[in-house]
Amino acid sequence: MRLVVSLTMVALSGGAAFAAGGISCTADDDGAVLSLEGGVTHGMGGALFSFVGQAGLRSPEVADDLRATAFGREHVAQYWFDDRELKLRLYRERAGDAPHGYVEILLETAADRDGSYRGDYAVTVYDMTEAANGEAATEEISGAITCSGE
């Protein structure tokens, strides 16, 4: 009986190790430096259970407080990850009492033969502090991004 219980515990603890993986994406070009990482489950819809990210935007047209933006799990608006593609939409509003503003990042990638995911990112920055004639200032930044996932 002890052998059966021990084998069952070993099988269950080993299975848990294979139940989770992660994603990691980076970009570094003239427009932005992006570093995004998250933990994902395998099964149950492949939920994203943790996430951290940094976006450093290089455009002088973007306000300082939006130029460097940190993202957490609560800023993941949409997410898709399987063996063919990885898609991610991040959204973070400006903190504090300043006029409305946000940074939104959309990335769309496709799997390579080597297991990497390659594609494009697009950043939209919306800023009411730079409003002219009631219209917010917007800045669009895009480029290539590379991700890995397991």
Side-chain angles (χ1 to χ4, degrees):
M1 184 65 168
R2 286 184 184 167
L3 178 61
V4 171
V5 170
S6 296
L7 290 174
T8 301
M9 291 182 67
V10 167
L12 290 175
S13 67
F18 296 108
I23 59 170
S24 177
C25 300
T26 58
D28 188 350
D29 57 30
D30 291 342
V33 176
L34 303 177
S35 176
L36 312 170
E37 296 183 358
V40 298
T41 62
H42 297 297
M44 297 291 294
L48 184 66
F49 61 83
S50 67
F51 186 84
V52 293
Q54 294 288 328
L57 308 178
R58 293 189 163 132
S59 172
E61 302 299 317
V62 175
D64 289 343
D65 66 325
L66 297 175
R67 195 174 303 144
T69 302
F71 295 92
R73 174 63 185 97
E74 66 275 18
H75 304 115
V76 178
Q78 294 178 327
Y79 156 78
W80 179 265
F81 175 54
D82 62 20
D83 60 344
R84 294 182 309 262
E85 59 190 356
L86 168 62
K87 295 182 179 185
L88 188 63
R89 181 181 303 268
L90 306 174
Y91 177 86
R92 175 136 193 205
E93 292 186 355
R94 170 182 272 136
D97 295 330
H100 180 62
Y102 65 80
V103 175
E104 181 179 38
I105 300 174
L106 173 64
L107 69 89
E108 296 186 14
T109 67
D112 288 12
R113 293 185 192 277
D114 69 358
S116 295
Y117 292 78
R118 298 185 194 283
D120 299 307
Y121 73 85
V123 178
T124 301
V125 181
Y126 178 95
D127 189 359
M128 285 301 290
T129 61
E130 301 295 323
N133 301 327
E135 295 291 320
T138 58
E139 182 77 15
E140 303 285 333
I141 303 166
S142 61
I145 194 159
T146 302
C147 302
S148 62
E150 59 177 315

